[in-house]
Amino acid sequence: MANKRIMKEYAEVTNNPPAGCKISLENEGDMNLWNVVMDAPSDSIYAGGHFKIVIKLPKEYPFKPPVLNFKTKLYHPNVTNDENGSMCLGMLRPDEWKPPNKIADVLKLVRTVLAAPQPDDAVEQGIADQYKNDRKAFEKTAKDWVSKYAK
Amino acid sequence: MTYVRADEELAELQRLSQEYQPDVTGPLVGERQPSTAIASEYALADPVYRAKTAALPQRYSHYRTCRGDGRCGWRAVAFGYFEALVHIGDAAKFLDEETRLRSLNNILNAAGQDPYVYEDFTDETFELMRKISASLQTGNADATLLACFNDPVIEQSVIQHMRMLTAAWMRTHADVYEAFVLPQSVDEFCASSIDPYPAEIEHIGISALTDVLLKPAGISLEISYLDRSIGDEVNVHRIDADAPEGFGSGTIRLLYRPGHYDILYKPEDIQPPMLPPQPAPIPTYFQFAPQPMDHVYDIGASDFITMIPGMSFANTHAGWMSSSPFGSSGFAPTTLPCKPQPPAPAPTPMYAPPPALPPPPPPPAQISHASDFATPSLPPTAMPNHMPHMGNDPFRSSIWELERGFPAATTQCLPFQTSIFRNSHFNTAHFLNPDFQPEEWTPDQDYIVPHNNHRSGRHKSISSGSA
């Protein structure tokens, strides 16, 4: 059943991809691992960057939330600054996940968070503090990282 | 110093409570077991719990556990809903319900849900309905239901369907619920308390789910609260279906312990529905009407009548029956009691004293007799006392009532014993007669007949027969 849902969603995003996203399968034939290349919103400090995101749909999907990992390094308070690049907030939290949510909705959330970081919900407390107290320095590093990793 | 330590302790406690996982072992829905198990579970608890759990088995004979993973309330109601349908034992009811739930997809659409998202969930519900309805034939519907509810894919989908129905119903009937979810709006409430996958059902959710799922199906919900409030029995909260008591499609009974739901059963919930011949209700009259009886029979005693075994609203004489205690004039003479006598009134010379009247076996229809109302403790054998009471009886049958001492010119003394009469309820030997008196076999008279020229007694006739 889960698979049926994933097929339907995949068909939908292929025919009608969410703004700024190119979606493919990481491995041919594995519906549970999606590959997204997201163009950062043009009004965000990440503008011009292309970020590779891997979305892992658990076996229990849609009863368990998908897992998001940024494969492109990103200086952002809501994305872990490690090799995983995990993002987990809002609707993606297991205790807030709603099975009717679709991946397209998740991608919309990701773009919103790129444009407007949520420092109070941060996974990188250092980056969040900098974002709140020294916005200039934060933006400089973020832009540096975009040109370094995300072009 | 102490402040810091308290802070650390709090942080540690906070961490522990966040990491705490409730005990989620055990089946999603367990086997039905005797409810005495609950009492033994609380044997060492405080006295309030001990008293309440000890009293529980008197009311509820069995219970069934639900896994305490935070979704037990949804699971218990969903399981109870299917079980109630199984208990009705009618494949047509499953079809009715599938049709009704399909039409409820409209409120899912109205609440902004995407058909391709909810169809996966609703399809599982309908498939489960068909599977169970098919297994009604083979008689293992209960086992099928239990097995399916322990399949996480089916169970999660069905619960999700219920969840979406509840939220959609609340959103499309916001005016009904908005006062109960303040300070949130209905939409915010659903988003935080109904929609998320792990959200446990709470009171508002239960009442909305009852409104959309149970009530229209004729199923009632009864929740027993086992908590530490004063009292020696659980507090019961009941949400009735749109059908009068006894005419619905059953009741789901839940046991609520703070944070957890299990399912309870009364003995009558367990026995197969068809075995004891219940007064057959006629569903067409009342199925969904809010005050159904009033249109059909204007009988004060309707509840009482339905309690009489063998009686039902199918009986076209119900109106006549109820007239006896409450004074309709038409048949007053027939309500007059007559002295119980052997049905064949031929005077018989008997040398033995007349056999003491054996207490009649409990009549199949215990008729609403005036004396039964006046002195309800009296068994039906009290008929002979009836005559003297007539004058000051609190229930005066009719203004046409016969004088006291009027000869007992009653039906059974009447000469016309046509077969039509004998088989009608005007015959006191008919169980629908208010003065029902079963015909008794009096051996004396049978034996007397051939010999009554010479002998008058049973013993002699026997001895002569054996001689």
Side-chain angles (χ1 to χ4, degrees):
Chain A
M1 185 214 123
N3 204 12
K4 205 164 76 189
R5 161 81 177 262
I6 296 173
M7 301 281 263
K8 285 196 269 189
E9 285 203 45
Y10 190 74
E12 193 192 37
V13 295
T14 311
N15 294 332
N16 183 21
C21 295
K22 283 196 272 307
I23 298 172
S24 57
L25 292 181
E26 177 83 3
N27 309 309
E28 198 60 42
D30 180 2
M31 295 300 296
N32 291 61
L33 216 53
W34 291 19
N35 207 337
V36 181
V37 176
M38 180 181 284
D39 300 334
S42 53
D43 57 348
S44 73
I45 51 164
Y46 304 98
H50 311 287
F51 297 92
K52 186 184 171 194
I53 305 169
V54 170
I55 300 180
K56 190 174 185 314
L57 302 173
K59 200 158 63 51
E60 295 89 350
Y61 183 83
F63 300 115
K64 292 268 166 63
V67 179
L68 248 71
N69 297 108
F70 277 79
K71 291 299 166 189
T72 308
K73 252 174 114 61
L74 173 70
Y75 193 71
H76 192 290
N78 301 109
V79 178
T80 58
N81 186 15
D82 56 16
E83 69 277 12
N84 292 327
S86 321
M87 177 188 256
C88 182
L89 80 169
M91 64 160 80
L92 287 171
R93 282 211 190 86
D95 57 341
E96 284 180 38
W97 173 251
K98 301 165 187 172
N101 290 345
K102 293 184 279 188
I103 303 296
D105 302 327
V106 170
L107 292 173
K108 257 180 235 154
L109 171 82
V110 173
R111 281 173 67 83
T112 312
V113 174
L114 282 185
Q118 298 178 8
D120 295 329
D121 223 353
V123 286
E124 291 293 343
Q125 203 52 52
I127 302 178
D129 289 344
Q130 193 187 34
Y131 178 84
K132 279 198 273 195
N133 304 323
D134 189 357
R135 184 70 64 91
K136 282 241 162 55
F138 166 78
E139 289 187 358
K140 185 172 182 309
T141 318
K143 280 182 176 157
D144 284 352
W145 282 34
V146 170
S147 42
K148 210 163 151 190
Y149 303 109
K151 286 296 179 184
Chain B
M1 258 332 267
T2 49
Y3 171 75
V4 174
R5 206 184 304 147
D7 220 27
E8 279 170 0
E9 260 170 41
L10 272 182
E12 173 69 5
L13 284 176
Q14 181 67 31
R15 190 186 62 77
L16 283 177
S17 82
Q18 270 168 359
E19 286 174 4
Y20 173 75
Q21 290 285 327
D23 179 21
V24 291
T25 53
L28 291 169
V29 180
E31 294 279 352
R32 191 159 48 210
Q33 50 183 308
S35 59
T36 45
I38 304 177
S40 47
E41 195 181 313
Y42 281 90
L44 297 176
D46 74 55
V48 179
Y49 277 128
R50 274 212 306 270
K52 287 186 179 182
T53 52
L56 211 53
Q58 294 162 15
R59 223 189 284 184
Y60 305 101
S61 61
H62 287 74
Y63 89 118
R64 197 191 280 282
T65 58
C66 288
R67 188 191 285 179
D69 57 1
R71 298 184 301 129
C72 46
W74 292 100
R75 188 176 297 128
V77 174
F79 186 88
Y81 166 72
F82 279 95
E83 202 172 41
L85 295 183
V86 169
H87 193 71
I88 297 168
D90 182 0
K93 180 73 176 174
F94 278 96
L95 204 58
D96 285 353
E97 282 300 290
E98 180 179 336
T99 313
R100 186 174 69 87
L101 293 191
R102 275 191 196 281
S103 74
L104 284 175
N105 284 352
N106 287 324
I107 65 160
L108 297 180
N109 295 334
Q113 300 287 0
D114 202 335
Y116 94 68
V117 168
Y118 67 67
E119 274 169 3
D120 288 339
F121 309 125
T122 56
D123 284 353
E124 286 289 342
T125 306
F126 301 142
E127 198 177 310
L128 176 61
M129 284 185 165
R130 290 174 188 183
K131 211 184 283 180
I132 296 174
S133 138
S135 64
L136 280 177
Q137 313 296 325
T138 50
N140 61 350
D142 279 322
T144 311
L145 176 63
L146 187 62
C148 287
F149 257 79
N150 280 299
D151 176 338
V153 173
I154 298 177
E155 182 256 4
Q156 293 181 109
S157 301
V158 172
I159 291 181
Q160 185 60 34
H161 184 188
M162 308 289 143
R163 212 184 265 286
M164 293 175 83
L165 273 181
T166 306
W169 183 261
M170 287 183 71
R171 286 182 168 120
T172 52
H173 296 74
D175 53 322
V176 178
Y177 299 100
E178 60 193 0
F180 299 100
V181 298
L182 293 173
Q184 286 175 300
S185 72
V186 167
D187 199 48
E188 289 165 351
F189 174 83
C190 291
S192 65
S193 305
I194 306 280
D195 292 336
Y197 174 78
E200 179 54 292
I201 199 168
E202 36 51 77
H203 189 77
I204 308 295
I206 287 216
S207 91
L209 180 57
T210 311
D211 288 345
V212 65
L213 182 73
L214 303 183
K215 278 187 184 176
I219 301 172
S220 307
L221 182 69
E222 192 179 289
I223 306 176
S224 301
Y225 292 89
L226 177 57
D227 51 25
R228 292 195 52 186
S229 58
I230 309 291
D232 44 14
E233 280 206 70
V234 291
N235 300 313
V236 177
H237 176 70
R238 201 178 152 87
I239 308 177
D240 275 314
D242 299 343
E245 171 78 18
F247 291 91
S249 308
T251 299
I252 303 173
R253 303 176 212 278
L254 302 183
L255 173 66
Y256 179 76
R257 295 177 256 187
H260 185 64
Y261 288 93
D262 288 313
I263 307 173
L264 286 173
Y265 298 91
K266 285 192 173 180
E268 67 259 30
D269 302 333
I270 295 173
Q271 55 190 243
M274 292 310 167
L275 281 187
Q278 297 290 329
I282 304 174
T284 33
Y285 284 160
F286 51 73
Q287 194 66 37
F288 302 117
Q291 299 252 308
M293 295 311 182
D294 295 356
H295 313 302
V296 185
Y297 285 112
D298 194 14
I299 307 171
S302 61
D303 284 347
F304 177 79
I305 296 292
T306 60
M307 285 160 53
I308 301 174
M311 291 286 292
S312 79
F313 286 97
N315 175 18
T316 52
H317 297 292
W320 175 76
M321 293 309 305
S322 70
S323 71
S324 127
F326 296 114
S328 127
S329 57
F331 294 95
T334 63
T335 66
L336 262 188
C338 77
K339 278 209 283 196
Q341 313 172 358
T348 35
M350 288 199 274
Y351 88 72
L357 204 66
Q366 185 174 332
I367 299 307
S368 50
H369 212 287
S371 73
D372 291 347
F373 278 85
T375 53
S377 61
L378 273 185
T381 54
M383 278 212 210
N385 299 341
H386 205 67
M387 207 58 176
H389 281 243
M390 279 302 281
N392 39 14
D393 212 310
F395 289 95
R396 197 176 140 81
S397 295
S398 149
I399 54 165
W400 304 110
E401 203 169 67
L402 295 172
E403 297 275 333
R404 195 198 300 212
F406 187 84
T410 57
T411 47
Q412 62 173 240
C413 309
L414 293 178
F416 44 91
Q417 294 272 335
T418 64
S419 65
I420 292 175
F421 171 81
R422 280 186 58 87
N423 294 330
S424 76
H425 52 252
F426 296 101
N427 184 350
T428 50
H430 192 283
F431 75 99
L432 285 182
N433 189 291
D435 297 314
F436 172 65
Q437 175 66 41
E439 276 186 8
E440 288 161 53
W441 177 54
T442 326
D444 301 278
Q445 293 163 10
D446 278 359
Y447 283 104
I448 284 165
V449 174
H451 301 291
N452 58 356
N453 286 339
H454 331 285
R455 317 209 165 143
S456 58
R458 179 169 159 249
H459 302 292
K460 285 183 184 172
S461 71
I462 288 171
S463 63
S464 76
S466 63

